[in-house]
């Protein structure tokens, strides 16, 4: 079996196992020509930095000469941290989907529930989301971020999120100095994984290092 020249590594978010990204992976592979691999990690089994190091080890085991990363929610932050801690020589780009790159107000509210909130976040969530791990992205890879702006999600029950938001993560929480491009599109946090436009824009950024301004009706590209 031949080794693909480019592979996209998909990283899921907290409390997930990657099955929810199946449609996105299908679109990237079958519609846009990017074979994918899934990196799975446990929210409760290890802290965030340990999981980021495991992601980096996972990348070392892939044979494709070009490796891209697409992370949903905390998975996007993990991609940035993993490659900032230990850069990868192989070329490629990163797309973060609804990723809390500047921490999470919803997670902060959850932590105020005491032991229950801390247990729900797990060691990965506590380290990743309480505070701000990155003040600026300083890695070598071009990074594109797609944020949702449809405010439907469980986090709305924890208190008000700044507008606009995707029901879980506020758009402002996805904006980090050092990223190359930012796109806001009217979908929910989960909707980022099932939107054909988001999949199309993800593939466009992986290919060109920018988002397609003509391909985002009702969206906002920066």
């Amino acid at each position: 079996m031949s080794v693909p020249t480019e592979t996209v590594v998909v990283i899921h978010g907290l409390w997930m196992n990657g099955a929810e990204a199946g449609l996105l992976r299908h679109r990237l592979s079958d519609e846009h020509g990017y074979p994918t691999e899934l990196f799975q990690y446990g929210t409760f089994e290890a802290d965030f930095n340990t999981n980021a190091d495991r992601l980096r080890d996972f990348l070392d085991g892939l044979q494709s000469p070009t490796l891209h990363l697409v992370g949903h929610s905390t998975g996007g932050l993990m991609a940035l941290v993993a490659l900032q801690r230990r850069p990868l020589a192989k070329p490629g780009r990163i797309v973060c989907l609804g990723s809390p790159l500047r921490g999470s107000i919803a997670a902060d509210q959850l932590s105020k529930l005491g032991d229950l909130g801390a247990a729900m976040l797990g060691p990965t969530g506590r380290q990743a989301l309480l505070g701000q791990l990155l003040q600026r992205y300083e890695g070598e890879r071009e990074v594109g971020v797609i944020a949702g702006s449809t405010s439907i999600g469980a986090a709305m029950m924890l208190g008000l999120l700044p507008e606009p938001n995707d029901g879980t993560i506020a758009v402002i929480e996805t904006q980090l100095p050092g990223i190359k491009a930012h796109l806001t599109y009217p979908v929910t946090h989960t909707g980022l994984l099932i939107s054909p436009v988001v999949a199309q824009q993800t593939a466009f950024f992986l290919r060109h290092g920018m988002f397609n301004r003509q391909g985002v009706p009702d969206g906002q590209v920066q």
Side-chain angles (χ1 to χ4, degrees):
M1 188 174 184
S2 62
V3 175
T5 57
E6 296 181 79
T7 294
V8 175
V9 177
V10 176
I11 310 121
H12 60 80
L14 291 183
W15 308 310
M16 304 299 177
N17 63 12
E20 71 288 342
L23 182 55
L24 173 65
R25 293 180 64 195
H26 167 77
R27 285 180 169 142
L28 289 175
S29 178
D30 291 9
E31 298 178 16
H32 301 289
Y34 286 108
T36 69
E37 295 281 349
L38 176 66
F39 174 74
Q40 295 177 295
Y41 64 92
T43 300
F44 306 103
E45 287 76 16
D47 64 24
F48 179 83
N49 284 335
T50 297
N51 281 324
D53 288 339
R54 290 173 178 172
L55 167 60
R56 185 59 185 78
D57 292 339
F58 179 83
L59 297 177
D60 280 338
L62 299 177
Q63 300 302 310
S64 293
T66 297
L67 292 177
H68 304 290
L69 287 80
V70 174
H72 177 242
S73 196
T74 307
L77 177 63
M78 188 174 293
L80 300 193
V81 171
L83 294 185
Q84 191 153 298
R85 285 164 65 89
R86 185 155 43 113
L88 183 67
K90 292 181 179 181
R93 297 186 172 100
I94 301 173
V95 175
C96 301
L97 305 176
S99 296
L101 304 182
R102 297 176 61 183
S104 167
I105 293 170
D108 185 64
Q109 292 297 315
L110 189 60
S111 72
K112 293 178 181 178
L113 298 178
D115 291 343
L116 174 62
M120 291 178 65
L121 286 170
T124 293
R126 291 195 299 272
Q127 189 175 55
L129 303 178
L130 302 181
Q132 186 172 342
L133 279 179
L134 296 177
Q135 300 302 312
R136 178 181 181 86
Y137 173 68
E138 297 180 346
E140 297 179 355
R141 292 175 176 242
E142 294 175 319
V143 177
V145 176
I146 305 178
S149 59
T150 298
S151 303
I152 301 174
M156 301 302 290
M157 295 184 295
L158 295 172
L160 292 177
L161 288 176
E163 296 285 351
N165 64 73
D166 65 9
T168 301
I169 301 297
V171 170
I172 194 173
E173 294 172 325
T174 69
Q175 297 170 330
L176 185 72
I179 63 174
K180 183 176 182 184
H182 191 282
L183 183 157
T184 302
Y185 191 68
V187 290
T188 65
H189 194 64
T190 302
L192 289 162
L193 294 170
I194 60 179
S195 164
V197 173
V198 170
Q200 180 186 48
Q201 289 291 336
T202 297
F204 194 92
F205 186 89
L206 295 180
R207 186 166 287 115
H208 302 290
M210 66 180 70
F211 293 120
N212 181 5
R213 293 179 178 271
Q214 282 71 48
V216 281
D218 302 319
Q220 181 178 350
V221 179
Q222 297 175 347

